[in-house]
Amino acid sequence: MSRAGDEAVELSATAGQSIHAVIAQYSRQHSADAGAPVEVVVQEAGRSRQLTVAPDGKVSQSLPTGPISAAPNAPEPTAAEAISVGDVEEPVTMSVAPIGVLPIDDEQPARADNHAHSVANSRPRNDRPVIPGARPHPTSSGSAASVLAAPEITPGTGEPARAGIRGRLNGVLNLRLAPKPDSVEMRQRAAIAAITGPLPGFSIVAVANPKGGVGKTPLAVGLNAVIAHHRGAGSTVCADVAEVGGSLADRVAVPPRAGQNVLELVTAATAAEQGNIRPSELSRYLARQPGGDDIVAGTFDGSGEAGLRYDDAESLATILAQHREILIADTGNNRLAGSWQWATSNAHVLVVPVPLRRDAAAAAHRMLLDLAATTRSAVLARTIVVITDGPGDAPMVETEAVEAFLELGVTSVLRMPFEPLFASGERIAASQLRGATTQSLTVVAAAVISLIAGTSR
């Protein structure tokens, strides 16, 4: 080991002791003797880790100068591989230098995720459509901030890393290394911060693609669960607004009981005094899921009467606006149905799942063309296209599809990996989803919430 400006110092580890523990102990002692923080640079196997050790022994800063992973998709080494130097040909060297002021990291986390990455993303500033029962939107005062105000803190930067190599080092060496600004962990923390941010009022998210079997219901169920997990139980509800009930009731973890459907809820609210239904009464018509998210099943009417109408869907939104923050509308496949037209024309955000199949991409593209021509032109700025992987995909379709959606005016295109549970047709429990799927849904949910907040400005 060499100290900056000093002669070389030899450190050795006894049996059963890690050389990194010896380095950490020496650095803390050196910092205490100097009475000031010291900067420690450990070079090992071509990688460089830079730590800041305070006199009290705490590690308060970490700015590695070398790559942690050789490739974005390369498997991370195990904890033993991350700290062991027994089979490393290159030596472990360390330099220690006192520093006067701790550096400030001004880097901002990237907005995309390794699994759900943004192809194009911007925040439109169009007017929000009128929502039945929506709360008034707050307006900005526009006052200037004082120069004496404390600097902003990037979400999650105060917490030590829990994943990856840094998380393992923290666990083994009892350090408090922060995640890299552009790491998956920091991007997930930034996404969670976006999901938990303020909303201007009751908001509607429509999941739509007239092509059947493209994954509308699984995506709606997943988004509903992720948003409720981070915003709190009872903050969001997913409703089946298909003309004749779709598969929502068959895909959720806790199936609805008899009478827990859209028309029963609308009828009960209509019969209530002044149309105001109490929370306890509302809960009778909602099927609460394990994560705190609620669902309202569709209506299967075998009497031959018309299915769910425009007015029915609008009444549902008016009722839920009194008790929930977000309605996720799982639409059907009939674009002529009144409930479908209500959902797509009143949605604050339109989420369009598109598997890598030409027929699914073409159906979504035609739908957006028609919506742009027949509704507010701003619908494209409020649209998020989610490209999904699955069996029978045609990868060559992806480039053409993404370019077509961007040229049309869609401002956000995200990508999700294949999820076996989604494709299985079985009930979906959020706890059984793959980690990559949960990370992707978190990024998509963050994009939805950010778009809702952005359209209110």
Side-chain angles (χ1 to χ4, degrees), residues 6-74:
D6 291 340
E7 68 281 358
V9 177
E10 291 187 3
L11 296 178
S12 60
T14 60
Q17 189 178 23
S18 168
I19 185 63
H20 293 80
V22 175
I23 292 174
Q25 181 179 1
Y26 178 85
S27 302
R28 292 188 177 100
Q29 185 61 47
H30 184 72
S31 175
D33 294 342
V38 297
E39 186 177 82
V40 181
V41 180
V42 180
Q43 295 178 339
E44 174 186 355
R47 297 170 179 166
S48 177
R49 290 193 294 275
Q50 190 169 329
L51 315 174
T52 297
V53 182
D56 59 1
K58 294 183 179 179
V59 178
S60 55
Q61 187 76 16
S62 177
L63 297 172
T65 58
I68 287 182
S69 178
N73 297 322

Side-chain angles (χ1 to χ4, degrees), residues 131-412:
I131 305 301
R135 299 185 294 273
H137 300 161
T139 57
S140 174
S141 61
S143 58
S146 169
V147 295
L148 297 179
E152 293 184 3
I153 299 177
T154 303
T157 54
E159 295 293 326
R162 299 184 181 88
I165 292 179
R166 292 186 173 207
R168 292 173 182 140
L169 287 173
N170 286 341
V172 173
L173 300 180
N174 195 28
L175 302 176
R176 292 184 59 83
L177 308 181
K180 288 188 66 176
D182 59 348
S183 65
V184 173
E185 185 173 2
M186 277 304 299
R187 292 197 290 270
Q188 282 289 296
R189 293 183 185 187
I192 292 171
I195 295 174
T196 57
L199 290 177
F202 178 70
S203 302
I204 299 167
V205 178
V207 182
N209 185 332
K211 183 74 173 68
V214 297
K216 293 188 292 290
T217 298
L219 183 56
V221 171
L223 284 177
N224 196 44
V226 167
I227 293 175
H229 175 72
H230 294 295
R231 293 194 70 87
S235 59
T236 179
V237 58
C238 180
D240 185 347
V241 297
E243 181 183 22
V244 177
S247 61
L248 180 64
D250 299 321
R251 298 306 305 272
V252 293
V254 179
R257 301 187 303 272
Q260 290 183 322
N261 61 65
V262 173
L263 284 184
E264 292 287 348
L265 173 57
V266 170
T267 301
T270 303
E273 184 178 354
Q274 297 180 347
N276 296 324
I277 188 170
R278 297 190 305 273
S280 58
E281 181 73 7
L282 174 66
S283 63
R284 293 177 51 190
Y285 300 93
L286 306 180
R288 174 61 58 92
Q289 302 302 301
D293 47 317
D294 296 312
I295 72 108
V296 184
T299 302
F300 295 88
D301 190 347
S303 64
E305 298 181 1
L308 199 67
R309 303 168 300 176
Y310 188 105
D311 291 345
D312 297 327
E314 189 171 68
S315 296
L316 173 68
T318 302
I319 297 165
L320 295 175
Q322 304 172 34
H323 306 279
R324 295 294 186 270
E325 293 182 310
I326 298 173
L327 164 62
I328 297 179
D330 180 18
T331 65
N333 304 327
N334 183 4
R335 294 170 56 186
L336 299 179
S339 58
W340 193 95
Q341 295 179 1
W342 172 86
T344 54
S345 61
N346 286 279
H348 297 82
V349 176
L350 184 66
V351 179
V352 184
V354 180
L356 292 179
R357 301 198 313 263
R358 194 172 297 278
D359 58 345
H365 195 265
R366 285 194 297 268
M367 176 190 74
L368 292 176
L369 276 173
D370 291 345
L371 287 176
T374 59
T375 63
R376 302 174 179 86
S377 60
V379 66
L380 297 175
R382 296 184 279 108
T383 297
I384 298 174
V385 171
V386 180
I387 305 293
T388 60
D389 286 339
D393 286 348
M396 69 288 295
V397 175
E398 181 172 11
T399 300
E400 297 179 23
V402 170
E403 290 179 353
F405 288 122
L406 295 179
E407 290 178 1
L408 186 62
V410 174
T411 60
S412 182

Side-chain angles (χ1 to χ4, degrees), residues 123-135:
R123 289 187 177 182
R125 298 179 179 272
N126 55 287
D127 294 334
R128 291 164 59 95
V130 176
I131 305 301
R135 299 185 294 273

